[in-house]
Amino acid sequence: MNAPLAAGSVAISVSLARDAVCAVEVKSARPPALARLFEGRAPSEAPRLAGQIFSLCGFAQTTASRLALAQAEGKSMSRQDRTFAAAGLLAERIFETLRSLVMQWPGKLPAAAQAAAGTHLREALKASRAIVSIAESGWESPRALADARDALRQAASAIGVPPTGAEPAKGSLLEAIALDLPRDDVFPRRAGEALEAEDDVDVVDLLVKTETYAQRPSLPGRVVETGAYSRFHDRLAGDTAKALLARFKARLADMSVSLLDLDAITEGRAVALEALMRDGVASGNGYGAVECARGRLYHAASLDADGRIAQYRILAPTEWNFHPAGPFVETLLSSRIGAGDMARLRIAKLAALFDPCVAFDITLKEIAHA
């Protein structure tokens, strides 16, 4: 049901009493000191290293690193370079969202739809990589993106992404997922509080002062969430969909809007770059914040007297969403999810729509009552 556990993972332990969730424990097994690999290096080395050591959202990692190091050096990425980066970020965001839905959905789906979606996912990967490659080298005319943009749009459409973010295409894998949701859509739909750009300085201040903050980030008195659902929750305010379907619709909307933004860049029109990436200085550290497929990603860095990296911090969006007192746990608690395989499947579907950037493993414990 779940992806195999790799170097990092999220362990989800759920206690049930009379088919309802009475306790949830979430533990991350991600390597805690990964950011130390950057320390002592020249600033020019860090962005490439970031893209190499992270298997998912590598271009987003590279971009966040570039933004942070430029600020640490007292510089700033130009608007032109940000536009180049935006194209790569959007393409990667679309592909990563498709990849997790096509390859990691825990429910039973039609074999023919899965096979077709696998073919189209490979096409999406090829197109996304082409756009990232063009973004890395820059372009004289944004029309250079057109062919790869068209290929990515066609692949996404074939998998089921609608042009307006409404309902998935008929007969597609994404429609099959939408149809697979109702029986297991037993969770309360929470409003959620988004992690915003206005939070960046506070987050980075805490991040650079305490190394362990990256493992369990929090903001005083708030349960924040990041990712597609938090980005599009307001748009879904009038929608009566239950929790799982609402989260699924948010991911459709995120891909549709990302494709429209990619169209705008390809046609030489302006896009809201600040909605994709922000940078600045907090507590003497340059930082970059990037909205990637799973949410807001932070890199922060400071330099020593020789101009080499003295301190480096990375905060992934998964750590907010799967915080022990975060939105995933809050959604699970008190939900009546049944028992056994049914309960496990419902937890897996909820986890898949929160989409951690590492594998997850689920353990169930039945609490006996006298």
Side-chain angles (χ1 to χ4, degrees), residues 191-228:
E193 185 175 358
L195 181 65
E196 304 278 8
E198 291 73 18
D199 297 315
D200 287 349
V201 170
D202 290 338
V203 170
V204 175
D205 181 61
L206 292 164
L207 179 63
V208 301
K209 288 180 178 177
T210 307
E211 186 175 18
T212 55
Y213 182 79
Q215 298 168 44
R216 288 192 176 186
S218 62
L219 290 169
R222 296 168 62 191
V223 179
V224 297
E225 179 172 344
T226 186

Side-chain angles (χ1 to χ4, degrees), residues 23 62 264 281 284 351 356:
T62 294
V281 176

Side-chain angles (χ1 to χ4, degrees), residues 41-360:
R41 296 176 181 269
S44 59
E45 297 178 56
R48 182 178 294 276
L49 178 62
Q52 290 173 340
I53 64 176
F54 294 102
S55 59
L56 301 180
C57 297
F59 187 74
Q61 298 280 357
T62 294
T63 302
S65 182
R66 287 181 65 195
L67 290 164
L69 268 302
Q71 287 288 335
E73 293 180 300
K75 305 173 185 176
S76 182
M77 278 178 62
S78 69
R79 186 162 186 86
Q80 182 183 54
D81 284 345
R82 290 171 192 259
T83 302
F84 295 155
L89 290 172
L90 290 165
E92 183 177 75
R93 193 155 114 182
I94 294 162
F95 170 73
E96 282 293 336
T97 304
L98 287 172
R99 184 200 61 77
S100 62
L101 288 170
V102 172
M103 297 184 65
Q104 296 178 339
W105 185 249
K108 185 174 177 60
L109 299 172
Q114 285 184 304
T119 297
H120 297 307
L121 185 66
R122 289 189 289 273
E123 295 166 355
L125 174 60
K126 181 179 178 180
S128 175
R129 284 179 171 172
I131 293 171
V132 166
S133 179
I134 295 169
E136 288 175 334
S137 59
W139 58 75
E140 292 185 7
S141 168
R143 295 299 302 175
L145 295 169
D147 287 347
R149 181 276 315 268
D150 290 346
L152 180 57
R153 179 177 286 282
Q154 290 166 10
S157 177
I159 295 171
V161 177
T164 60
E167 301 297 327
K170 296 291 184 183
S172 67
L173 183 77
L174 295 186
E175 184 194 43
I177 291 176
L179 294 174
D180 183 52
L181 288 173
R183 185 184 63 136
D184 297 308
D185 210 346
V186 297
F187 301 101
R189 181 170 164 182
R190 59 187 299 278
E193 185 175 358
L195 181 65
E196 304 278 8
E198 291 73 18
D199 297 315
D200 287 349
V201 170
D202 290 338
V203 170
V204 175
D205 181 61
L206 292 164
L207 179 63
V208 301
K209 288 180 178 177
T210 307
E211 186 175 18
T212 55
Y213 182 79
Q215 298 168 44
R216 288 192 176 186
S218 62
L219 290 169
R222 296 168 62 191
V223 179
V224 297
E225 179 172 344
T226 186
Y229 185 69
S230 65
R231 287 193 284 256
F232 288 91
H233 180 266
D234 289 346
R235 179 179 296 196
L236 295 168
D239 193 306
T240 58
K242 292 184 179 179
L244 295 183
L245 186 57
R247 289 185 173 279
F248 179 69
K249 286 185 173 183
R251 304 189 82 186
L252 292 181
D254 193 55
M255 289 187 284
S256 296
V257 170
S258 294
L259 282 165
L260 291 174
D261 284 345
L262 196 52
D263 287 343
I265 293 175
T266 304
E267 294 160 11
R269 294 184 281 114
V271 296
L273 297 176
E274 294 76 13
L276 286 168
M277 65 193 91
R278 294 282 293 267
D279 56 357
V281 176
S283 297
N285 283 245
Y287 71 85
V290 170
E291 286 287 345
C292 60
R294 293 163 183 84
R296 202 161 186 82
L297 166 70
Y298 290 93
H299 281 230
S302 63
L303 306 182
D304 62 20
D306 296 322
R308 304 187 78 81
I309 297 173
Q311 176 179 278
Y312 205 91
R313 297 282 192 266
I314 300 170
L315 174 52
T318 293
E319 312 310 334
W320 295 99
N321 293 340
F322 286 85
H323 186 282
F328 173 76
V329 171
E330 189 178 75
T331 303
L332 263 179
L333 280 173
S334 300
S335 295
R336 191 164 292 281
I337 64 172
D341 289 343
M342 178 183 290
R344 187 182 301 276
L345 180 60
R346 287 171 171 170
I347 297 167
K349 287 182 178 180
L350 181 66
L353 289 170
F354 271 92
D355 194 17
C357 54
V358 292
F360 61 87

